[in-house]
Amino acid sequence: MSAFDYFKRLGYERWEFQRDISNATVADTITLRTPSSGKRVAVTNLVIASPINGSIAFYFQGASQLQRKILEVRGTSASTTIHPLIQSLECTAVDIPLLVRVNVGMTDGWSVTGEGFDVD
């Protein structure tokens, strides 16, 4: 059973996000998903489009939790789409957002699309 089916069968409501991240935002960490109060983020699908060189990293971090990198993807020299094979990227602490940061080696913007659930 996939993580998507698992969380869906437990009755959690699915959410989606799509963010375009350009060179103008490389110095910042961007919040992709903040869970509902008292919940944890579980990402069950992730698509990263148009990564030309550079890298993109995903983190979980809260006010009382150190930043923890959970996934880093490096782009290729040509425009492409990356579908990381993940079952679930699930935070173990409540009320911790999913963050993303790109490095300054980028030449074009990244498009990040994902879906998942806020879980107990």
Side-chain angles (χ1 to χ4, degrees), residues 64-84:
S64 61
Q65 181 189 35
L66 297 176
Q67 190 175 73
R68 303 286 186 220
K69 186 187 321 182
I70 56 168
L71 175 67
E72 182 173 0
V73 176
R74 298 195 179 270
T76 63
S77 61
S79 181
T80 187
T81 300
I82 300 171
H83 298 267

Side-chain angles (χ1 to χ4, degrees), residues 18-93:
Q18 192 284 323
R19 290 292 299 268
D20 291 324
I21 305 164
S22 69
N23 283 345
T25 59
V26 295
D28 298 329
T29 300
I30 299 166
T31 301
L32 287 179
R33 176 67 187 179
T34 301
S36 304
S37 181
K39 303 283 186 177
R40 300 177 292 120
V41 171
V43 179
T44 56
N45 187 27
L46 191 62
V47 178
I48 303 162
S50 299
I52 300 174
N53 297 323
S55 67
I56 186 168
F58 298 85
Y59 300 84
F60 285 122
Q61 179 182 2
S64 61
Q65 181 189 35
L66 297 176
Q67 190 175 73
R68 303 286 186 220
K69 186 187 321 182
I70 56 168
L71 175 67
E72 182 173 0
V73 176
R74 298 195 179 270
T76 63
S77 61
S79 181
T80 187
T81 300
I82 300 171
H83 298 267
L85 182 57
I86 62 168
Q87 285 296 312
S88 178
L89 298 176
E90 185 176 345
C91 187
T92 58

